[in-house]
Amino acid sequence: AGEADAYALAMMAVIARVRDGHANLWSHWHLLPPRGEARLPIVVRFVEDEPVVADVEASWRGARSGLERGDVILALDGRPVDDLVTTMRPYVGASNEAALRRDVARLLTRGDRGPCEVTVRRGGDAVTVACERVPDGELDQRAGRTHDLPGPVCRRLGDDVGYLKLAGLQRTAVADHLASLAGTRGLILDLRNYPTDFPIFDL
């Protein structure tokens, strides 16, 4: 490597070969391609190997993006998505393909602030949409990162089934929540998220 950024990328490529999502050079995450401090106000998820607009942020920026849920992203600023993924793959450490695609989806629309031309497949047709990338600091950083049920941490789903999700569940509240679910025949523990506390032993 001839300079510091190239050295950091080389280190990231070596670390990625460990195939461990917890191992990375987090201090230099901004160097991963595509580079930029802004992205589109959408949530992208890979569905059957294709990057799909899973959600559009609720802000006015999202509403004005011109993108819709279900759009399949084909290209960004004329560059095919497959090329972007190929460029990113060597630097993203992940324990399996699903995890790699999750992380790639978060970075895919990154670039310079301002206009971005997005080609999508919508209803069988290729459509080009003029969008605008928004600075990361103005976007909801947690959007699209969990799949859990919106609403309270603890509730009854009918008379017989209790529900607890670890996103937002505090250790100090576990006993009270379980007491409120007394008499249910089943309990769903929703782990489709990252816990805000670690109440496993208390549960």
Side-chain angles (χ1 to χ4, degrees), residues 2 9 55 59 64 69 74 82-83 92 128 131 157 190 196:
L9 282 172
D55 208 353
S59 67
R64 287 179 53 185
R69 292 183 68 182
L74 303 176
D82 287 346
D83 288 354
V92 180
T128 299
C131 303
L157 305 178
D190 196 338
T196 51

Side-chain angles (χ1 to χ4, degrees), residues 101-122:
R101 289 185 179 275
R102 176 202 63 206
D103 291 343
V104 164
R106 292 177 186 166
L107 301 170
L108 191 61
T109 69
R110 203 162 62 166
D112 294 331
R113 178 177 186 169
C116 174
E117 192 175 83
V118 184
T119 305
V120 300
R121 187 170 69 244
R122 181 184 296 170

Side-chain angles (χ1 to χ4, degrees), residues 146-163:
T146 64
H147 304 265
D148 51 23
L149 194 63
V153 166
C154 175
R155 74 190 92 166
R156 287 176 180 251
L157 305 178
D159 294 333
D160 291 336
V161 180
Y163 172 88

Side-chain angles (χ1 to χ4, degrees), residues 110-190:
R110 203 162 62 166
D112 294 331
R113 178 177 186 169
C116 174
E117 192 175 83
V118 184
T119 305
V120 300
R121 187 170 69 244
R122 181 184 296 170
D125 298 320
V127 179
T128 299
V129 181
C131 303
E132 184 173 343
R133 288 191 180 95
V134 181
D136 280 344
E138 298 177 20
L139 296 170
D140 179 4
Q141 298 300 318
R142 291 188 59 82
R145 295 198 176 194
T146 64
H147 304 265
D148 51 23
L149 194 63
V153 166
C154 175
R155 74 190 92 166
R156 287 176 180 251
L157 305 178
D159 294 333
D160 291 336
V161 180
Y163 172 88
L164 278 174
K165 62 178 174 181
L166 267 66
L169 178 60
Q170 301 295 316
R171 295 182 61 187
T172 54
V174 168
D176 290 339
H177 286 320
L178 291 179
S180 74
L181 298 174
T184 56
R185 298 181 63 192
L187 175 62
I188 294 173
L189 297 176
D190 196 338

Side-chain angles (χ1 to χ4, degrees), residues 184-203:
T184 56
R185 298 181 63 192
L187 175 62
I188 294 173
L189 297 176
D190 196 338
L191 305 174
R192 298 173 296 172
N193 47 58
Y194 197 85
T196 51
D197 200 355
F198 289 87
I200 301 298
F201 298 110
D202 302 86
L203 283 168

Side-chain angles (χ1 to χ4, degrees), residues 4-6 8-9 12 25 27-35 110:
D5 286 357
L9 282 172
M12 294 170 88
L25 192 63
S27 59
H28 289 72
W29 191 249
H30 62 282
L31 295 179
L32 286 175
R35 296 188 190 182
R110 203 162 62 166

